Amino acid sequence: MEQQIDVIIIGGGPAGLNAALVLGRARKSVVIIDEERPRNRVTRESHGFLTRDGISPAEFRRIAREQIAAYPSVRFVTDSAVTVTGADGNFQITTGQGTVYTSKKLLFAAGKKDLPLDISGLADVYGKSAFVCPYCDGWELRDQPLVLIVKGGAALHSARTVSGWSKRLTICTNGPDELTEEQREELKARHIPVFDAPIARIESTGGMVEQVVLEDGSAIPCKGIFFAPKLAAGSDLPREIGCRMTEGGSVVADPFGKTNVPGVFSAGDAASEMYQAITAASLGSLAAVGINSELLAETWESRI
Ligand SMILES: Cc1cc2nc3c(=O)[nH]c(=O)nc-3n(C[C@H](O)[C@H](O)[C@H](O)COP(=O)(O)OP(=O)(O)OC[C@H]3O[C@@H](n4cnc5c(N)ncnc54)[C@H](O)[C@@H]3O)c2cc1C
């Protein structure tokens, strides 16, 4: 059992790291527990974070940790948080390695995780030539022939969005397309073919997709894929301790990360569906302000 700390942060991605930076600078004692399995570990480069465009996720974390090391009240632990007990002012967090940490406040910055990819060959190209967000990776695939794996009304939205980067689009719905006649016409008018046969496999070399092969024997050559993986909460702990959750597996939190459970905050992908590193970092920063404000208010009261 360790001495009580001000804040335990579960998750050391952009959200948890930015929260740690702000809390360290606010002279709070912080332990970040991180099992180091971020969703973006499959990708070589992360884009769109001003001053860090094109950096690898691992290098981003290394620089962040180096800068946070200037604030001695912040400590990193490579471990997994497995249980949380206690209440506001006195939480106990037990890790996979059996350490128990106690803290006044708790911040969940545990991100989201992908559920297993159910298309043969997709894991080989994920993060290298198959991506989830055109804002993150569309530039590198500009003007290339692309396959969008998506069905129903989302296909239209996806095609309209990705058309900002390339007009050479094909939709594979991987089974019944679920499109209305009107939606099919809208895509046809823009020369976007729709294939509804199930996908047999994705063929690639060195992570670079070459073609998408369908069960009916069709093969669609392409240089890139966009798809929407099924996501789940990065950690089940918020749900287990009573945090309200959305259907999409996000913790419901106010703009300063405060949840319905007193003393518990959440930030980043764990508490939003924006899925951008800079947004996650920003939410981490706001949550740190929310937590610090509560801690200051409590200390202020106890000084009378
Ligand atoms: C393939 C791919 C490419 C992407 N490319 C970009 C891009 O180019 N630009 C961009 O802005 N965004 C990109 N993103 C999105 C971006 O990676 C996320 O929005 C961002 O990393 C979210 O930060 P976070 O801190 O909320 O969560 P994460 O970075 O996912 O970090 C959460 C951390 O919590 C840890 N954790 C979970 N549960 C526990 C537990 N119980 N105990 C301890 N630790 C735990 C995880 O291991 C992980 O290290 C990409 C995402 C993917 C999947």
Side-chain angles (χ1 to χ4, degrees):
M1 182 78 81
E2 297 216 350
Q3 194 188 351
Q4 192 185 51
I5 34 214
D6 290 320
V7 188
I8 296 276
I9 299 176
I10 298 175
L17 289 165
N18 218 118
L21 176 63
V22 173
L23 287 165
R25 289 179 54 78
R27 309 186 67 188
K28 296 297 174 287
S29 55
V30 175
V31 168
I32 307 184
I33 304 172
D34 185 31
E35 61 188 20
E36 297 184 1
R37 289 186 58 77
R39 253 188 88 212
N40 67 354
R41 67 187 179 281
V42 295
T43 194
R44 294 165 175 157
E45 292 183 352
S46 180
H47 301 102
F49 197 124
L50 195 63
T51 78
R52 294 287 175 260
D53 192 37
I55 198 168
S56 76
E59 179 64 359
F60 179 95
R61 286 174 169 232
R62 190 196 65 72
I63 295 169
R65 284 182 177 224
E66 189 178 273
Q67 294 191 339
I68 293 168
Y71 306 97
S73 63
V74 181
R75 195 150 53 94
F76 289 92
V77 173
T78 305
D79 205 343
S80 176
V82 290
T83 63
V84 172
T85 53
D88 190 12
N90 188 22
F91 291 106
Q92 297 89 45
I93 295 89
T94 306
T95 70
Q97 291 172 23
T99 310
V100 181
Y101 297 92
T102 68
S103 71
K104 295 177 188 161
K105 306 287 173 190
L106 202 50
L107 172 60
F108 284 105
K112 292 259 169 52
K113 63 185 169 205
D114 289 318
L115 296 178
L117 306 174
D118 51 5
I119 297 175
S120 168
L122 185 52
D124 299 335
V125 291
Y126 187 26
K128 300 182 185 74
S129 57
F131 299 101
V132 293
C133 160
Y135 290 96
C136 298
D137 298 289
W139 172 261
E140 284 64 34
L141 292 171
R142 62 194 183 281
D143 297 327
Q144 297 299 318
L146 306 178
V147 165
L148 311 179
I149 304 176
V150 60
K151 65 168 69 182
L156 218 63
H157 172 75
S158 179
R160 189 167 51 229
T161 304
V162 179
S163 72
W165 286 270
S166 176
K167 305 271 183 277
R168 301 163 70 188
L169 303 178
T170 301
I171 290 174
C172 287
T173 59
N174 194 22
D177 66 29
E178 297 171 13
L179 289 163
T180 63
E181 209 41 56
E182 201 181 355
Q183 290 168 334
R184 266 187 219 110
E185 285 305 316
E186 202 170 327
L187 292 165
K188 197 170 161 195
R190 286 159 183 83
H191 312 288
I192 300 173
V194 178
F195 290 81
D196 63 3
I199 298 173
R201 64 188 176 278
I202 291 167
E203 294 181 352
S204 62
T205 301
M208 305 315 288
V209 58
E210 287 164 347
Q211 57 182 6
V212 176
V213 181
L214 307 184
E215 280 183 6
D216 67 5
S218 327
I220 305 155
C222 65
K223 295 281 187 197
I225 292 174
F226 282 102
F227 72 109
K230 294 196 182 80
L231 299 180
S235 164
D236 293 330
L237 291 173
R239 190 191 303 275
E240 285 170 21
I241 64 169
C243 289
R244 250 197 319 270
M245 310 287 295
T246 67
E247 274 182 22
S250 301
V251 182
V252 176
D254 79 6
F256 287 95
K258 194 171 165 53
T259 73
N260 60 305
V261 178
V264 176
F265 292 72
S266 186
D269 283 9
S272 111
E273 275 143 40
M274 289 306 293
Y275 307 139
Q276 298 270 312
I278 201 158
T279 308
S282 155
L283 292 171
S285 175
L286 286 170
V289 172
I291 292 169
N292 194 47
S293 301
E294 272 195 12
L295 287 169
L296 289 173
E298 288 161 10
T299 318
W300 189 257
E301 288 304 316
S302 68
R303 284 181 60 178
I304 298 171

